[in-house]
Amino acid sequence: MTDSTTTEPEPSDSLKTFGAVHKAFRKRAGLTQEEFAPLVRYQPSTVASIEQGRRLPPRVYIERAEEVLDAFGVLRAAAKYATRQPGLASWFREWADLEERAVTLHTYECRVIPGLLQTEGYARAVIWSVPPLPTEEQVEQRVAVRLARQDLLSTRRIPPTAFSFIIEQAVLERRTGGDEITRELIDHLLEVSDRHWNVELQLMPLRQTSHAGLDGPLQLLETPENEWFAYSEGQQTGVLISDRKEISLIQQRYAKMRSQALTPDDSVSLLREMRGAL
């Protein structure tokens, strides 16, 4: 999912439940939020957001909280359900579950920057851009979920997921949110390319006489069992694809696009050139 959808997310009852359980274990340990936060190496504001059900708990946070609070595995178990509900369109939840386990994830985008690579400012600009206008609470919920999903990029996951992103140069040239948001976004993309050895980023140039992705955005992933799935998203819809013949077709298209897009090194050079022009 590109996280461009403005469809009403699922109710966040599961996140609120996780937050209440977390709070109970924290109080049982005799810790305030301010005392607990440094023990899990997060800010008190993050702890507060999680306990209020406004933020999806990152996996590393859950593991640290389990250890600090001696929670008997309860937080870990509760988090499995919390990750499936809030802030995600209903059609995307099954794909999101597969993403959590993926060892390989390929994404082609021609509309917006993929959610896994968005900055907070860019995410807000995208959410506010597409009618109907969301409430402030809806914006906060969607942004929180979007940023929490970026934990998938971590090289500390075992095994770390191998990512390939192909993004149309035109998406950046659009300058969604304005020049300052775009500068911040390009800086973030450069940082991800430099810091995450498990992420390969390629730009599809504006001028491209042959393009295998003209049918639209797509995603592919491989599970630890070496099964492949694909996902295609459009206006108010999303389709999870498991048919082997269809997946083979999509794999062919993605492989062709990787050869048509700029190399990762050339993509970084173009990003720096675009950054300098802003």
Side-chain angles (χ1 to χ4, degrees), residues 108-110 166-169 203-218 253 256-258 260-261:
Y108 163 66
E109 248 309 332
C110 55
I166 301 175
I167 304 170
E168 292 289 338
Q169 178 184 347
L203 294 183
M204 187 70 76
L206 288 175
R207 296 181 181 273
Q208 184 65 41
T209 58
S210 178
H211 196 319
L214 296 180
D215 275 0
L218 61 88
R253 292 177 180 176
K256 186 67 174 178
M257 280 192 286
R258 290 181 89 163
Q260 294 169 335

Side-chain angles (χ1 to χ4, degrees), residues 12-25 50-53 55-58 61-62 65-66 74-83:
S12 58
D13 288 349
S14 62
L15 268 190
K16 293 177 181 178
T17 299
F18 177 88
V21 172
H22 182 287
K23 183 177 181 179
F25 273 102
I50 289 173
E51 291 192 347
Q52 293 165 12
R55 178 169 179 176
L56 199 66
Y61 178 99
I62 295 166
E66 274 283 352
V74 174
L75 293 178
R76 194 178 296 116
K80 292 180 180 180
Y81 298 95
T83 60

Side-chain angles (χ1 to χ4, degrees), residues 87-134:
L88 297 177
S90 58
W91 63 74
F92 182 62
R93 285 187 293 150
E94 190 173 1
W95 178 259
D97 289 343
L98 289 170
E99 273 190 333
E100 285 283 337
R101 302 192 302 114
V103 296
T104 304
L105 183 60
H106 297 165
T107 301
Y108 163 66
E109 248 309 332
C110 55
R111 304 168 302 175
V112 296
I113 297 298
L116 291 175
L117 298 176
Q118 292 181 12
T119 61
E120 181 175 348
Y122 182 85
R124 291 181 184 277
V126 169
I127 291 169
W128 284 115
S129 292
V130 184
L133 290 176

Side-chain angles (χ1 to χ4, degrees), residues 138-165:
Q138 288 170 337
V139 172
E140 294 304 317
Q141 185 183 59
R142 293 172 192 174
V143 169
V145 172
R146 195 163 307 185
L147 296 181
R149 286 182 57 235
Q150 295 181 1
D151 285 342
L152 294 174
L153 297 176
S154 174
T155 57
R156 296 184 179 181
R157 285 164 56 92
I158 301 177
T161 304
F163 292 91
S164 168
F165 294 97

